[in-house]
């Protein structure tokens, strides 16, 4: 099973409410081939800002040994890109730059980051 660590203020696409989010998290841990679900993660290298994975790739044994730090969950690729754009705008407004990894790591300690989880 893939090892997934979730960002404390997880970004989610608009069509995912709290109930659906919890179900998705359980499904991704048990059956990582959930169709149409995309994960935004911190990158595995120093040169990238974020990675976007189709959840079907989590079936590879590599992810059983190498945990992914999940920043966001989206219903499709386009919505995953929308989340990246939202994070970029937030970073720019907050810091005046687009260093997303640094912004997100600072957001782990800050209550000022709004992450879009619907209460419905």
């Amino acid at each position: 099973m893939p090892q997934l660590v979730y960002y404390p203020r997880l970004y989610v696409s608009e069509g995912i409410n709290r109930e659906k989010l919890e179900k998705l998290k359980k499904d991704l841990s048990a059956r990582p081939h959930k169709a149409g679900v995309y994960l935004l993660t911190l990158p595995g290298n120093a040169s990238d800002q974020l990675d976007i994975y189709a959840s079907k790739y989590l079936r590879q044994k590599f992810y059983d040994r190498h945990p992914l730090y999940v920043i966001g969950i989206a219903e499709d690729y386009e919505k995953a890109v929308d989340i990246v754009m939202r994070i970029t705008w937030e970073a720019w407004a907050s810091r005046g730059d687009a260093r997303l990894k640094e912004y997100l790591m600072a957001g782990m300690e800050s209550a000022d980051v709004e992450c879009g989880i619907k209460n419905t």
Side-chain angles (χ1 to χ4, degrees):
M1 293 296 140
Q3 297 180 32
L4 303 174
V5 179
Y6 293 97
Y7 187 62
R9 296 178 183 99
L10 189 67
Y11 287 83
V12 296
S13 58
E14 292 179 9
I16 299 175
N17 60 29
R18 286 190 186 273
E19 183 179 306
K20 187 174 181 178
L21 176 62
E22 293 308 314
K23 183 176 181 339
L24 277 174
K25 285 181 178 180
K26 287 178 187 175
D27 286 350
L28 288 169
S29 293
R31 295 172 283 143
H33 56 279
K34 190 80 174 157
V37 175
Y38 286 79
L39 304 176
L40 285 81
T41 68
L42 290 179
N45 62 52
S47 63
D48 291 336
Q49 291 288 325
L50 294 173
D51 288 333
I52 299 175
Y53 289 95
S55 64
K56 65 183 178 183
Y57 292 110
L58 298 179
R59 289 184 280 180
Q60 298 174 15
K61 296 283 185 201
F62 175 84
Y63 299 108
D64 293 347
R65 298 181 309 275
H66 298 88
L68 288 176
Y69 196 84
V70 180
I71 299 297
I73 299 177
E75 299 157 297
D76 58 39
Y77 184 80
E78 183 177 311
K79 290 178 182 174
V81 172
D82 288 344
I83 291 173
V84 172
M85 289 172 41
R86 180 173 21 156
I87 295 169
T88 304
W89 279 110
E90 287 177 8
W92 185 262
S94 173
R95 300 169 43 102
D97 62 36
R99 291 182 286 186
L100 304 184
K101 287 188 290 190
E102 291 176 20
Y103 170 72
L104 291 166
M105 296 310 264
M108 293 175 75
E109 300 170 7
S110 171
D112 295 335
V113 179
E114 180 180 327
C115 297
I117 296 177
K118 287 184 164 185
N119 291 320
T120 60

